[in-house]
Amino acid sequence: MTEVLTRSPAPFPYPHDARDRVPIILTALAQIQTQPKQTSLRDRKDLVSVAFTDPAMEKGTNSRASSGPSYEVFLCFRGVDTRHQFTDCLYHGMVDAGIVVFRDNESLHVGKEIGSELLQAIQNSKIYIPIFSKNYASSHWCLRELAHMVDCTSKSNGNKEILPIFLDVEPEDVKLKTNLYRQTLSKRQKTSCPEVESWEKALTEVGRIKGWNWKKDRGQGDLIHSVIRTVSAKLKMTHENVTEHLVGIGDRVDAIIKMLDVGSDSVRFLGIHGMGGVGKTTLAKVVFNELSSNFDRCCFLADVRESSKDNNGKVKLQKQLLSNLLGSHSIAQICHVNDGINMMNKGVLKSKKVLIVLDDVDEKEQFRSLAGKCNWFGSGSGIIVTTRDQSVLMIEGEATSEGLANISTYDVQEMEFGHALKLFSKHAFRRDSPPDHRISLSKDIVLTLGKLPLALEITGSSLNSKPEALWVDTLKKLKEAPPMGVQRKLMISYERLDYAQRQVFLDIACLFVYRDKTYPFYMWDACGYYPHDALEALVLTSLIKIKYGSTLWMHDQVRDLGRDIVRQENFNDPRERSRVWNPEEALSILKWKEGSRKIEALSLGWLHDDEDLIRKHDEFANLRSLRFLKGKGVILVGDFNNLLSSLRWLSWRYCSDQFEATNFHPTNLVVLDLSYSNISEEWNGWSQIREISKLKVLDLSYCKCLKRTPDLSTWGSLEKLILAGCENLIEIDPSIGKLSLLTTLDLSRCDSLREVPEEIGCLQPSTEIVMPYPQDLLPKTLGDMQSLLTFVANSYTINLPLLIAVLANVRQLDLSECTDIKVLPNSIGKLKSLVKLDLSSTSIGHLPDSIGNLKQLKVLRMRNISGIRKLPSAVGLLEKLEELDASACCNLTGNISEEIGRLSCLRILNLSDTRISGLSTTMSRLSSLQTLDLAPCPELKQLPELPPSLTCLRWDPNKWGSIIGSTVYEQETPTPALPSNNGALSQQETPIPALPTSIFTLSQLETLSVSCENVEFLPQLPSSLRVLALRLLATTRSPDFSNLKNLSTLMFYGCSMPEFSGIFDAELKIFRMELCKFRKLDALFQVEMKELRSLMMSRCEFLPEVVDLSRMKNLEDVHLSNCKLLVEIRGLEELGSLCFLVVKRCRSMKGMSDLSKLKKLMELSVTDCPKLRSVEGLNRLESLRWLTIINAGEFQGDTSDLNLEHSLIR
């Protein structure tokens, strides 16, 4: 048996691009010309191979020689035994693989000392390979070389290595435990050879090294191949150069390696996609370097997009790929792309386990021509593709039987804030964190850059050693547009878009980030922008994402790029830009009647000044191209005849009940949003907008004055009618039956509506109807609505079997609050198209087994059903289920079935407020699970291993439940008993185990809410946490939060500890404490916490007597209650952003600083603070709307000049 090294087998690399080697080649040629002809140190071919050594590999070499060429491998062998057989094959194999090898020549053996050439060759080599054969010990030269190799290795600080080959001898022979070498050395010892002792020592030492052990009955080819692979790996022949400033990529690399499944026999394709500058190439390089030793051959094709632009670019890439994998001899016949494809179709790589990276691919043809089919490659191969355009990964007919690729994808997200700040600091300061005087600026810049790696590197490097004034100017510029280097990267994706796709992109960037896509979709369709195609293109190119089903999301840097593109249309004059999203600029354009045909979109925002609300017709005269207009509370006045003819979307929320415009006929309008308006059925505007025949969306939600809908018959194109929240609506006009194209009718929260017209049954194509609450009966014609896809009963008394029979194609069925439903019929299993089923607050006693037939079901909600005692195993058959909510099923007991482990798509599992006592160990198989809610679960005392995909965990073995989302107690309720400080358990207490230490491995966990009663210590928590809520933690040892750099929300309830540790480096935005005992809380108010927005403290002991808030300059909400020791609040004058200040039952408080600078304060409440002295500045709170002063000592003031909506002073 061949004894192989324990290190994984290495790739079989070949020389890199020779263009990078030109200077080295010229040097090598010069050396050849100057070598004496008789020199046999190496032949000329060998010397030329020096030129193909990667210069990067020389870095770190511990060569002590001052002259002579450097080598990577030194071969030491007995010439008469192996020179013309094994050694010759090994030597040439290494040279072909690009390894610089020294092969000893016996003509150099003159005299008793090792010659200078040999000495330099040994000293200048990195890896020594002694080839032990039968007669090896009979050569004193071999033994001298071996002793010198051992000496050099021992002095190299680990930079040199010996890899022995036992060729037809055993390691025991070399260790002198047999007579083979021992007798030979004994003979030399008799001749008084002084070197024998050092030779014996060298042989014994090298014999203990694990190497390769070859037997005569086995072929030498596999052995040679193994040696070359291992040497290549150790020399890092295939490694890609990676920036030295790598931060926060460990988890990402691990995830990608897991997806590649290197141990699998299948050919794995993985697409790494994301926006430009997010770090795709860096990730691919690190993965390539880490995995290359597991493959036979490796190739990293960099910058495929740019390389493909050259003449015959794809052919050159094919040649580079095949040359690296097979050798230069393989590419001679490739003249056309089809030649390379045909060669790979013939299976030239079929026997090779290869690792290939195709970097920055932007066309499918590039992919097809280089790695189009999985049957081109050997078993276990891995192909990684980086791209900013996901569409290149979508190869039609992806059937493995045809050999086409089945591609997994990895979406590269922006960095965590802590990692982003560290990366920026490495470039800006050459250290891991900013110096104290630049912390604030650094954090602002990182947040502005959106945590994009490329932007952080470029900006950080540009600010290195620069004065603070330049930093401030840079921050201002970054708030307008990304750095130029980032813009160039992002523009690559933008420039690939067609005209319509660019218009949609710019609309989103300027108007619709974080907005629902439904209404914009109608506008884009009316403008001929093909929104289906445009949105798909933007998603695939990573310029946008669609989150939460329909929300448009865009990275800050991409948004700023889009806005800068619009800004560059005319940098100095917003009147000449296509989109004006700044309300001040938009208002100015209208005020001064300076509109132009160039303007397509105008957003006025919320106008507070009554004069600004009135907008006259002549202000719109020049806006001939305006297609989007948004203005809250605007009053249109004048004759609008022939105006706004291009308008497609009018967002007119909070519209006045007075309509003063005439001839208001925007004939091309498709979206009209009148939500939250004061209009009624008597509104004068109905008569004019009734003529808008192309209207597709009419949003009247929360129009509380509306009692009856207007005549709807003229809006024959209407597809969406939204009446949600019209709480006084009592009648829907029968003309609704004429809306033949209506697809959505939302009547939710129309509490006064007592019946629905029979004509609703005429809505044949209707796909969604949300019924009001409450109702007495369904319209009899509901049975005609065969295509109804969504039905919401809202506490409606219904005949469920009949409803199921009628709604055969329903996709969403909401039966929540229908308490009359006591049995869920077996026929529920016939709803094959059902995607969402809500049974919450019904009276059913169990789920029928037929529930398992709902193969399309994604959401199953069954909250607050007291009759449910167990989850049937049939739930495990719901293979597409993404959400399972059984919270508040108070009689759900026992262990959750192991069948739950089959729900591979499950993202949300809510079992809170149940009495379950155990979770199945199969929970770890829920590879998609993100949210697990177990607060409270009083019978659940232990957690199983959890899946690494988890982002939110709430667990409370007590009955109080999670504190996330809870508020501080407003009333003086009795204080619950808190756990003792010593953490000891009484005999009556049930021991609750600590959080499992494995929680630290949940690298994606962002939210953790946990009760810690009787827990003596917290394990280290994952650094990914953003929200942490702890209840009832009583410890004498403060928990260490120093690694939680991304923490933004921290909440304590009923906790006791000596002091804080490590939270002040976090980006805390919300900090809440209730019923806590912290002995050293002063530290909280002695550090800069500029990101803190909300501070809430209630019933906390050991609060310092003086609370100074001046270092929390961005606070918006301060709530202090029942703080018995609090005497004074200082620093309020520094809180320019403060909106809410509530101080209650702080009976020792005597002082509060001046309020006059709180220009944004909207609510002030001071109650039960009887010792409070007079406070200045109350009469200067210009934004104050709600004021409560009760039993507040001397605190009073003149409020006559304040515009208060609510005031209570006594």
Side-chain angles (χ1 to χ4, degrees):
M1 291 290 293
T2 301
E3 184 179 2
V4 297
L5 291 174
T6 55
R7 185 179 177 92
S8 302
F12 194 171
Y14 289 88
H16 296 283
D17 194 336
R19 289 175 294 182
D20 299 330
R21 306 290 191 265
V22 170
I24 308 173
I25 292 174
L26 295 176
T27 302
L29 290 174
Q31 287 180 323
I32 292 172
Q33 293 171 356
T34 58
Q35 289 291 334
K37 292 184 179 180
Q38 70 274 17
T39 297
S40 55
L41 175 65
R42 300 191 67 195
D43 59 28
R44 294 173 178 233
K45 174 183 175 183
D46 299 340
L47 190 55
V48 171
S49 72
V50 174
F52 289 92
T53 305
D54 190 338
M57 299 307 165
E58 299 301 322
K59 184 178 180 180
T61 303
N62 187 26
S63 176
R64 292 178 294 157
S66 59
S67 61
S70 295
Y71 302 100
E72 292 172 322
V73 174
F74 182 96
L75 295 179
C76 176
F77 57 94
R78 183 75 169 100
V80 295
D81 286 352
T82 69
R83 174 178 298 280
H84 301 297
Q85 293 88 34
F86 177 82
T87 300
D88 191 59
C89 294
L90 177 62
Y91 169 76
H92 287 289
M94 286 187 172
V95 171
D96 288 342
I99 301 170
V100 184
V101 190
F102 176 83
R103 178 173 58 173
D104 187 12
N105 191 310
E106 290 184 351
S107 63
L108 295 175
H109 298 173
V110 179
K112 294 183 179 180
E113 297 292 331
I114 298 180
S116 59
E117 294 92 345
L118 278 174
L119 182 65
Q120 289 178 2
I122 294 174
Q123 290 175 337
N124 292 3
S125 295
K126 301 175 184 177
I127 293 176
Y128 307 121
I129 301 182
I131 303 172
F132 295 111
S133 56
K134 294 284 187 184
N135 297 303
Y136 183 92
S138 63
S139 168
H140 63 277
W141 279 103
C142 286
L143 296 173
R144 286 172 181 160
E145 290 173 5
L146 184 69
H148 195 55
M149 287 188 282
V150 170
D151 181 58
C152 288
T153 303
S154 66
K155 298 175 181 177
S156 69
N157 294 322
N159 291 321
K160 298 179 185 294
E161 187 174 5
I162 298 175
L163 301 178
I165 298 175
F166 304 100
L167 200 65
D168 203 25
V169 299
E170 295 294 333
E172 299 298 307
D173 298 325
V174 179
K175 287 187 284 187
L176 304 179
K177 292 187 178 181
T178 68
N179 290 328
L180 183 63
Y181 286 3
R182 191 166 58 193
Q183 289 180 348
T184 304
L185 291 177
S186 296
K187 293 177 183 178
R188 293 190 178 277
Q189 208 161 21
K190 293 178 181 178
T191 62
S192 300
C193 178
E195 298 173 274
V196 172
E197 185 177 346
S198 64
W199 295 345
E200 288 178 343
K201 182 179 178 182
L203 284 168
T204 303
E205 186 172 332
V206 175
R208 287 196 291 261
I209 299 174
K210 192 170 185 178
W212 293 270
N213 194 353
W214 178 77
K215 304 292 185 180
K216 277 189 174 180
D217 58 348
R218 303 183 64 86
Q220 294 182 349
D222 291 340
L223 172 60
I224 290 173
H225 188 55
S226 176
V227 173
I228 294 173
R229 287 194 309 174
T230 301
V231 170
S232 298
K234 290 182 178 294
L235 294 173
K236 298 184 178 180
M237 297 290 292
T238 58
H239 276 216
E240 292 294 313
N241 289 326
V242 180
T243 175
E244 59 181 323
H245 300 310
L246 290 178
V247 177
I249 69 167
D251 292 343
R252 303 181 183 209
V253 170
D254 291 343
I256 292 172
I257 290 175
K258 184 176 181 180
M259 293 176 73
L260 281 171
D261 193 11
V262 177
S264 168
D265 289 335
S266 61
V267 177
R268 304 302 293 262
F269 282 72
L270 176 67
I272 301 176
H273 64 88
M275 60 183 289
V278 79
K280 301 181 296 294
T281 299
T282 299
L283 267 178
K285 285 182 176 181
V286 174
V287 171
F288 181 83
N289 291 346
E290 192 152 327
L291 293 183
S292 58
S293 62
N294 294 283
F295 295 85
D296 298 334
R297 312 286 170 92
C298 302
C299 179
F300 192 106
L301 287 183
D303 210 356
V304 171
R305 176 179 55 83
E306 280 296 320
S307 299
S308 297
K309 292 179 180 179
D310 300 337
N311 290 333
N312 293 320
K314 294 187 185 72
V315 173
K316 294 176 182 177
L317 287 168
Q318 284 181 330
K319 288 184 175 182
Q320 184 180 346
L321 176 68
L322 290 170
S323 176
N324 281 12
L325 298 179
L326 296 175
S328 57
H329 63 279
S330 64
I331 63 175
Q333 304 302 317
I334 300 178
C335 301
H336 189 271
V337 171
N338 286 337
D339 296 333
I341 293 176
N342 290 336
M343 180 178 292
M344 286 184 277
N345 271 329
K346 291 177 181 178
V348 293
L349 296 172
K350 186 69 175 177
S351 62
K352 307 291 190 296
K353 179 181 178 182
V354 299
L355 176 63
I356 299 172
V357 174
L358 308 179
D359 177 50
D360 196 14
V361 176
D362 70 340
E363 292 179 0
K364 288 185 178 181
E365 287 306 314
Q366 298 164 357
F367 188 12
R368 286 195 182 101
S369 63
L370 296 169
K373 294 184 179 181
C374 59
N375 61 13
W376 288 356
F377 310 105
S379 174
S381 293
I383 289 83
I384 300 173
V385 181
T386 73
T387 181
R388 66 191 69 199
D389 186 352
Q390 291 181 66
S391 66
V392 305
L393 305 174
M394 300 175 183
I395 299 179
E396 295 82 356
E398 294 176 358
T400 54
S401 60
E402 299 174 10
L404 298 177
N406 189 6
I407 306 171
S408 302
T409 59
Y410 180 84
D411 184 7
V412 184
Q413 304 288 340
E414 65 183 28
M415 302 181 75
E416 296 177 355
F417 180 83
H419 292 152
L421 182 61
K422 183 176 181 180
L423 179 62
F424 175 79
S425 300
K426 282 180 174 291
H427 288 273
F429 307 110
R430 304 298 187 260
R431 49 188 276 182
D432 287 348
S433 59
D436 292 343
H437 66 287
R438 291 286 167 85
I439 289 178
S440 180
L441 267 174
S442 297
K443 290 182 177 180
D444 287 344
I445 290 173
V446 170
L447 289 171
T448 302
L449 292 172
K451 296 168 284 187
L452 192 68
L454 178 64
L456 296 168
E457 293 174 10
I458 291 174
T459 307
S461 299
S462 69
L463 292 174
N464 179 248
S465 303
K466 297 298 189 294
E468 184 171 346
L470 182 60
W471 279 62
V472 174
D473 286 347
T474 299
L475 179 58
K476 291 178 181 178
K477 288 174 62 178
L478 290 175
K479 289 181 177 179
E480 296 292 330
M484 284 306 299
V486 178
Q487 281 200 39
R488 285 193 292 270
K489 277 275 188 182
L490 297 177
M491 282 296 290
I492 294 170
S493 297
Y494 176 77
E495 289 169 350
R496 289 176 55 82
L497 303 175
D498 62 27
Y499 174 78
Q501 293 164 355
R502 292 185 182 188
Q503 300 312 304
V504 171
F505 169 76
L506 295 177
D507 276 356
I508 296 173
C510 298
L511 306 167
F512 303 130
V513 177
Y514 300 117
R515 297 289 184 264
D516 189 281
K517 66 182 176 69
T518 306
Y519 292 0
F521 198 94
Y522 281 101
M523 179 184 70
W524 294 326
D525 187 51
C527 293
Y529 293 159
Y530 310 103
H532 286 290
D533 172 73
L535 290 181
E536 181 181 24
L538 295 177
V539 169
L540 291 175
T541 52
S542 302
L543 290 172
I544 69 167
K545 295 182 188 297
I546 308 294
K547 292 195 171 185
Y548 317 115
S550 61
T551 301
L552 297 166
W553 181 90
M554 183 179 280
H555 190 278
D556 291 350
Q557 292 290 285
V558 179
R559 177 203 62 199
D560 293 344
L561 169 73
R563 293 184 176 185
D564 192 58
I565 290 172
V566 172
R567 197 178 288 111
Q568 294 302 324
E569 293 171 356
N570 192 310
F571 188 79
N572 295 315
D573 191 354
R575 298 171 300 178
E576 297 299 321
R577 300 175 192 160
S578 59
R579 297 157 182 85
V580 182
W581 61 91
N582 184 304
E584 294 179 359
E585 293 177 346
L587 182 60
S588 175
I589 288 172
L590 291 181
K591 269 186 174 181
W592 302 104
K593 304 175 184 178
E594 294 177 328
S596 69
R597 287 182 175 272
K598 179 71 175 175
I599 297 175
E600 299 178 26
L602 208 61
S603 181
L604 292 167
W606 186 277
L607 304 176
H608 295 283
D609 193 324
D610 290 343
E611 292 183 4
D612 292 339
L613 290 174
I614 300 174
R615 306 270 48 99
K616 298 180 180 179
H617 69 285
D618 54 352
E619 298 173 355
F620 296 90
N622 294 324
L623 298 173
R624 299 295 182 181
S625 301
L626 192 69
R627 56 184 172 86
F628 173 86
L629 176 61
K630 179 179 180 180
K632 296 180 179 179
V634 169
I635 299 174
L636 299 179
V637 177
D639 186 355
F640 280 78
N641 189 38
N642 295 323
L643 297 181
L644 302 178
S645 58
S646 297
L647 195 64
R648 301 304 201 279
W649 182 348
L650 174 58
S651 181
W652 200 359
R653 293 186 168 191
Y654 301 93
C655 176
S656 168
D657 57 348
Q658 298 180 357
F659 190 83
E660 302 185 24
T662 59
N663 296 312
F664 185 75
H665 308 304
T667 54
N668 289 302
L669 196 69
V670 292
V671 177
L672 177 58
D673 184 357
L674 292 169
S675 57
Y676 298 93
S677 295
N678 292 322
I679 60 177
S680 69
E681 60 273 15
E682 305 297 331
W683 186 51
N684 292 334
W686 294 124
S687 60
Q688 298 193 49
I689 66 173
R690 189 173 289 124
E691 299 182 23
I692 306 174
S693 60
K694 296 180 181 180
L695 194 66
K696 292 182 179 296
V697 177
L698 177 58
D699 191 340
L700 300 172
S701 57
Y702 297 94
C703 291
K704 296 184 178 181
C705 296
L706 192 66
K707 294 182 178 179
R708 294 174 179 83
T709 64
D711 182 356
L712 306 168
S713 59
T714 59
W715 294 319
S717 299
L718 202 65
E719 297 182 15
K720 288 185 178 293
L721 177 59
I722 313 298
L723 296 165
C726 294
E727 57 187 35
N728 293 308
L729 185 70
I730 59 175
E731 182 181 341
I732 297 177
D733 193 88
S735 60
I736 193 172
K738 296 183 180 181
L739 303 182
S740 59
L741 299 179
L742 196 68
T743 61
T744 299
L745 173 61
D746 190 348
L747 303 173
S748 60
R749 296 178 296 283
C750 294
D751 298 344
S752 300
L753 192 62
R754 287 295 179 265
E755 64 176 330
V756 179
E758 295 290 334
E759 286 79 4
I760 198 173
C762 301
L763 303 178
Q764 291 290 338
S766 181
T767 60
E768 179 179 3
I769 179 170
V770 182
M771 295 296 289
Y773 166 79
Q775 285 292 326
D776 295 325
L777 71 163
L778 283 169
K780 297 177 182 178
T781 52
L782 184 63
D784 296 332
M785 302 172 66
Q786 293 297 316
S787 60
L788 189 68
L789 296 187
T790 299
F791 183 85
V792 182
N794 276 345
S795 300
Y796 187 27
T797 301
I798 59 175
N799 184 329
L800 187 54
L802 175 61
L803 185 68
I804 291 173
V806 169
L807 305 178
N809 296 314
V810 71
R811 297 185 62 193
Q812 298 188 39
L813 181 58
D814 188 346
L815 304 174
S816 59
E817 309 291 338
C818 295
T819 55
D820 288 344
I821 299 179
K822 293 180 171 57
V823 177
L824 191 64
N826 285 323
S827 57
I828 192 76
K830 295 181 180 180
L831 301 180
K832 304 296 185 183
S833 301
L834 199 61
V835 173
K836 179 180 177 181
L837 175 61
D838 195 338
L839 304 169
S840 301
S841 299
T842 58
S843 300
I844 64 174
H846 72 281
L847 295 180
D849 288 341
S850 62
I851 198 85
N853 296 331
L854 304 179
K855 300 300 184 184
Q856 302 302 316
L857 196 67
K858 293 185 178 181
V859 177
L860 175 58
R861 292 178 182 150
M862 40 190 292
R863 297 186 291 259
N864 192 30
I865 306 178
S866 59
I868 294 293
R869 286 170 170 76
K870 70 173 184 176
L871 294 178
S873 58
V875 169
L877 301 176
L878 303 175
E879 53 195 36
K880 292 188 178 181
L881 195 67
E882 297 180 6
E883 177 183 344
L884 175 57
D885 187 348
S887 59
C889 291
C890 56
N891 291 314
L892 181 60
T893 60
N895 293 331
I896 297 299
S897 169
E898 64 180 16
E899 299 297 323
I900 199 169
R902 301 172 61 178
L903 303 178
S904 60
C905 296
L906 194 66
R907 295 186 300 105
I908 301 171
L909 177 59
N910 190 344
L911 298 171
S912 61
D913 211 5
T914 65
R915 295 172 58 196
I916 63 168
S917 56
L919 293 175
S920 171
T921 56
T922 60
M923 288 283 296
S924 61
R925 301 177 191 170
L926 300 178
S927 57
S928 300
L929 190 66
Q930 296 177 357
T931 299
L932 177 59
D933 198 337
L934 304 167
C937 285
E939 306 295 327
L940 183 65
K941 305 301 183 184
Q942 192 168 359
L943 296 181
E945 181 182 351
L946 299 175
S949 57
L950 208 62
T951 61
C952 177
L953 171 62
R954 300 185 181 97
W955 178 39
D956 192 340
N958 302 288
K959 62 182 180 180
W960 293 355
S962 172
I963 61 174
I964 289 183
S966 66
T967 58
V968 175
Y969 290 142
E970 294 294 333
Q971 301 175 3
E972 285 194 89
T973 55
T975 301
L978 297 180
S980 60
N981 289 341
N982 59 19
L985 302 179
S986 68
Q987 291 180 350
Q988 289 77 28
E989 289 177 311
T990 301
I992 296 176
L995 276 172
T997 55
S998 60
I999 194 171
F1000 181 71
T1001 64
L1002 300 180
S1003 59
Q1004 299 184 51
L1005 193 67
E1006 295 184 355
T1007 299
L1008 175 62
S1009 174
V1010 61
S1011 176
C1012 305
E1013 187 175 13
N1014 302 322
V1015 171
E1016 295 187 12
F1017 71 95
L1018 279 180
Q1020 188 173 10
L1021 302 177
S1023 60
S1024 54
L1025 278 182
R1026 296 180 183 275
V1027 178
L1028 175 61
L1030 299 174
R1031 182 191 294 276
L1032 305 178
L1033 175 65
T1035 176
T1036 57
R1037 183 177 63 183
S1038 296
D1040 184 6
F1041 298 144
S1042 59
N1043 66 316
L1044 305 184
K1045 305 300 184 184
N1046 298 298
L1047 202 63
S1048 63
T1049 299
L1050 180 61
M1051 294 183 279
F1052 295 102
Y1053 178 88
C1055 295
S1056 174
M1057 63 183 72
E1059 59 182 328
F1060 288 111
S1061 175
I1063 68 165
F1064 303 118
D1065 290 336
E1067 295 299 305
L1068 276 186
K1069 291 181 172 62
I1070 298 173
F1071 183 69
R1072 296 183 180 180
M1073 296 170 48
E1074 184 172 0
L1075 281 169
C1076 291
K1077 297 181 180 181
F1078 292 155
R1079 291 178 177 78
K1080 295 182 180 179
L1081 196 58
D1082 304 59
L1084 177 65
F1085 304 99
Q1086 295 173 0
V1087 293
E1088 295 284 340
M1089 299 185 73
K1090 290 188 176 181
E1091 298 301 319
L1092 196 66
R1093 298 295 188 268
S1094 176
L1095 175 65
M1096 194 172 289
M1097 295 182 174
S1098 177
R1099 295 187 286 180
C1100 294
E1101 296 187 22
F1102 303 108
L1103 190 71
E1105 292 185 356
V1106 177
V1107 168
D1108 187 349
L1109 304 177
S1110 60
R1111 292 179 175 84
M1112 304 173 180
K1113 298 184 185 298
N1114 291 308
L1115 273 174
E1116 298 173 0
D1117 179 15
V1118 174
H1119 189 129
L1120 304 173
S1121 65
N1122 292 92
C1123 299
K1124 298 178 181 178
L1125 303 180
L1126 180 62
V1127 174
E1128 183 179 1
I1129 302 176
R1130 296 178 184 172
L1132 290 173
E1133 66 277 3
E1134 299 290 336
L1135 308 185
S1137 299
L1138 193 66
C1139 298
F1140 305 95
L1141 176 59
V1142 178
V1143 184
K1144 295 184 177 182
R1145 294 181 291 278
C1146 296
R1147 293 187 171 90
S1148 299
M1149 193 174 73
K1150 297 179 180 179
M1152 186 185 299
S1153 55
D1154 192 337
L1155 304 177
S1156 59
K1157 294 185 179 181
L1158 304 182
K1159 300 300 183 182
K1160 294 185 178 181
L1161 192 67
M1162 299 175 64
E1163 178 181 355
L1164 174 62
S1165 177
V1166 182
T1167 62
D1168 292 322
C1169 301
K1171 297 183 179 180
L1172 187 60
R1173 296 188 292 266
S1174 177
V1175 179
E1176 299 293 328
L1178 177 62
N1179 61 336
R1180 298 168 65 181
L1181 299 178
E1182 56 192 43
S1183 297
L1184 196 65
R1185 296 294 179 267
W1186 300 279
L1187 175 63
T1188 302
I1189 302 177
I1190 300 175
N1191 188 24
E1194 301 175 5
F1195 183 25
Q1196 55 185 325
D1198 181 10
T1199 62
S1200 58
D1201 293 334
L1202 301 180
N1203 185 20
L1204 296 174
E1205 297 179 10
H1206 170 82
S1207 176
L1208 179 60
I1209 303 176
R1210 65 169 188 260

